[in-house]
Amino acid sequence: MSGLWIVLLGAGLGLYVATAWWHSRKPLPSGLKVTGPWRDAGDSRLLLDETFLDADGQRHCRQQIVDEWLRLIGQARRLVMIDIFQFNDPADSPPDCHRRVSFELVDALLARKREMPELEIVLITDPINTAYGGHQATHLTELRAAGAQVIITRLSASRDPNPTWNALWRLAIRQWGNTTRNGWLPNPVGPGRATLRSYLAALNLNANHRKTLVVDDGDGWRAIVSSANLDDGSSDYRDLALTLSGSAALDLMASEAGIAGFSGASGLTVPTPPPAAQLSTATPRLRILSEGAIRDALLHTVETAQPGEQLDIETLYLSHRGMIKALLGAHRRGVAIRVLLDPNKAHFGRPSPGIPNRQASRDLHEAGIAVRWSDTRGEQAHGKLLLRSGGNRPATLLAGSANLTRRSLDDLNLELNVQLEATLAHPAIDRARDAFERHWHNTSHEHYSTTYAAHADPSRLRYWRYRAMEASGWCVF
């Protein structure tokens, strides 16, 4: 009997290891790891949400992103396609939120659908908004009742970021599904109750982290690629977005249609993007990038930066070891680098010891790279931006949903960025440079950032804790 148990244990262990290996490396489904063709970017704009303190210490929010979403939805006649990570139920809105952005979006969609009954609304979202199937999201039910196609992303089709847990979940837990009835535990991602199975699914630590909008705009198409979620609790975060139009918007729509397809949507047809035209490198141009293609473009931008050029980074999370090594290499080559980081005071509303930024930034600071902290007061510096400027080449701007982490860059989360190449005079490049300068230096009337010493962490224990979390996937960043 003991021999049989050894055989069974060995077979079970082998199945577990094989499941962990395969689902962390398997081919990606259609719509993911997209490197879009270069498209004309003449009318691309940068939108900013900024929270700052004035000279008297009073807090202010100046916002553009959601307002542009609402404007575009309000004129759509054929199609509104949204892919959004966090989109809370307005019924669960916290009483002290800055702005009820989820209510505004739902109201705008329903109002436009009443005005234009033939309007097709496609909403792709992450299962976090239903507590992974354990919470009844009334706003999603309301949108479905109005005729919108609401698609919950099938994350199991993508790769697993936390394989030691993901394999166990796939083999022994996933088959039990989930239910919105009889939840007895606090909702891990919002108000109300959820089931134990919601917690077990949350430990998979994967996400459709995209934040995009595509709508018809007259006879053409317009899109927004953003770092901003549509949950009320983050409505005062510092965020940014790029607008794009024409063929680039169709490239984005095609990628989103791929996600809808592998998540079980049916009957969804989108226009086919036209073939790419040959564009001069001097022409303002952009392309969409998703998942690992974002990493490739970021690393190429940093690794090919030259002395006399400037690299400016402003991001919520920086922990990807490949990016850190590339930045250290660029610094050694004489590239000027500035890194502005969120101090990571909290993750999903829960206190944090500053992991990963306070630990990862040590490698940069000790090498002599300039690092500052966003001086947050309850909000997060949630934008994700890398800008290369100076020298004799056109500037490069990379912005969107992807943090500079393993989950965001190594084909694990679903992410969407835009890469824009243009001269310094292009409005989006000029605005990105101006925003970074204001955030870095502050002004007499707008305070955004503070010194590295304000949140420096000398703990070796927390440093290696960050390294272990990043490598294993047992982390929310």
Side-chain angles (χ1 to χ4, degrees):
M1 179 63 84
S2 60
L4 177 61
W5 279 109
I6 291 173
V7 170
L8 291 175
L9 181 62
L13 181 61
L15 179 61
Y16 171 82
V17 171
T19 300
W21 184 90
W22 170 252
H23 285 287
S24 61
R25 293 166 174 82
K26 65 186 179 184
L28 294 168
S30 175
L32 303 188
K33 200 172 184 180
V34 172
T35 301
W38 288 107
R39 305 291 194 180
D40 179 71
D43 65 347
S44 182
R45 294 188 297 127
L46 184 72
L47 307 174
L48 297 173
D49 286 355
E50 297 177 303
T51 297
F52 57 92
L53 299 179
D54 66 17
D56 298 321
Q58 298 297 310
R59 194 165 176 269
H60 298 270
C61 294
R62 184 169 54 220
Q63 298 180 310
Q64 294 181 318
I65 297 172
V66 171
D67 291 339
E68 182 65 4
W69 274 58
L70 299 177
R71 186 191 72 79
L72 288 173
I73 290 169
Q75 58 81 55
R77 294 178 174 272
R78 289 175 282 165
L79 174 66
V80 174
M81 177 178 279
I82 294 170
D83 190 348
I84 189 69
F85 172 47
Q86 285 186 274
F87 179 34
N88 73 286
D89 191 331
D92 297 334
S93 176
D96 58 346
C97 66
H98 168 68
R99 182 176 176 181
R100 299 192 67 193
V101 291
S102 61
F103 174 83
E104 292 181 56
L105 180 68
V106 171
D107 189 55
L109 290 170
L110 294 176
R112 192 56 179 166
K113 183 67 173 176
R114 287 191 295 269
E115 295 166 354
M116 303 291 297
E118 68 277 15
L119 176 68
E120 184 177 6
I121 298 173
V122 178
L123 172 67
I124 305 168
T125 194
D126 188 89
I128 193 173
N129 298 300
T130 65
Y132 304 95
H135 173 69
Q136 184 69 39
T138 60
H139 61 320
L140 301 183
T141 301
E142 190 175 10
L143 288 169
R144 285 192 181 101
Q149 186 169 185
V150 177
I151 301 161
I152 305 298
T153 307
R154 188 166 69 91
L155 295 176
S156 60
S158 60
R159 291 179 181 167
D160 291 344
N162 185 20
T164 56
W165 171 257
N166 301 141
L168 179 62
W169 180 82
R170 286 181 180 274
L171 291 172
I173 301 170
R174 177 187 176 191
Q175 295 78 6
W176 294 96
N178 206 344
T179 178
T180 59
R181 301 186 304 275
N182 304 319
W184 57 281
L185 293 170
N187 186 343
V189 292
R193 296 286 172 177
T195 66
L196 175 61
R197 282 170 281 178
S198 292
Y199 278 77
L200 299 178
L203 288 175
N204 286 316
L205 297 172
N206 54 353
N208 177 357
H209 197 241
R210 295 185 180 195
K211 306 104 165 55
T212 66
L213 168 71
V214 187
V215 302
D216 60 289
D217 182 21
D219 294 330
W221 297 92
R222 187 164 294 276
I224 298 177
V225 174
S226 176
S227 67
N229 288 304
L230 291 171
D231 67 307
D232 301 348
S234 60
S235 61
D236 60 352
Y237 286 8
R238 188 190 305 170
D239 277 299
L240 62 114
L242 278 166
T243 68
L244 47 150
S245 61
S247 300
L250 294 179
D251 295 331
L252 172 54
M253 195 187 305
S255 177
E256 299 295 356
I259 296 174
F262 70 69
S263 298
S266 59
L268 179 63
T269 58
V270 298
T272 302
Q278 292 296 319
L279 293 175
S280 165
T281 56
T283 301
R285 62 180 190 169
L286 59 76
R287 60 181 177 177
I288 66 161
L289 302 166
S290 72
E291 292 75 49
I294 303 171
R295 175 202 59 219
D296 296 344
L298 285 166
L299 289 176
H300 179 77
T301 301
V302 174
E303 290 169 351
T304 59
Q306 304 166 2
E309 294 181 332
Q310 175 89 38
L311 286 172
D312 292 324
I313 293 173
E314 185 170 357
T315 189
L316 174 66
Y317 295 132
L318 170 59
S319 61
H320 191 278
R321 298 310 301 175
M323 273 298 300
I324 291 171
K325 291 176 182 177
L327 288 169
L328 294 173
H331 174 69
R332 288 191 294 268
R333 293 195 305 275
V335 178
I337 302 174
R338 296 181 294 182
V339 179
L340 181 56
L341 298 173
D342 184 272
N344 294 162
K345 296 176 182 178
H347 297 298
F348 289 95
R350 292 169 174 80
S352 165
I355 294 175
N357 285 353
R358 300 188 204 187
Q359 295 71 39
S361 64
R362 283 179 52 184
D363 294 327
L364 306 179
H365 175 74
E366 291 174 356
I369 293 175
V371 180
R372 285 179 66 85
W373 302 105
S374 292
D375 194 8
T376 56
R377 308 299 173 96
E379 80 283 1
Q380 289 183 338
H382 194 256
K384 304 93 168 56
L385 170 149
L386 183 146
L387 175 65
R388 192 209 69 222
S389 60
N392 299 317
R393 296 186 290 170
T396 294
L397 172 65
L398 284 139
S401 70
N403 292 301
L404 304 185
T405 68
R406 168 182 169 270
R407 280 180 62 197
S408 286
L409 300 183
D410 286 357
D411 291 318
L412 301 171
N413 274 359
L414 277 58
E415 305 281 1
L416 202 292
N417 273 35
V418 175
Q419 182 177 9
L420 169 66
E421 292 191 351
T423 66
L424 296 179
H426 188 280
I429 298 291
D430 181 65
R431 192 145 199 255
R433 293 176 69 217
D434 173 73
F436 189 91
E437 293 296 333
R438 288 187 291 104
H439 298 170
W440 184 267
H441 292 291
N442 302 312
T443 71
S444 58
H445 302 291
E446 297 183 5
H447 174 84
Y448 294 94
S449 65
T450 189
T451 63
Y452 176 77
H455 296 294
D457 185 0
S459 169
R460 298 300 298 178
L461 178 62
R462 281 190 292 272
Y463 176 85
W464 287 108
R465 179 182 169 190
Y466 134 68
R467 292 291 299 270
M469 292 170 72
E470 173 81 355
S472 68
W474 279 96
C475 57
V476 298
F477 52 83

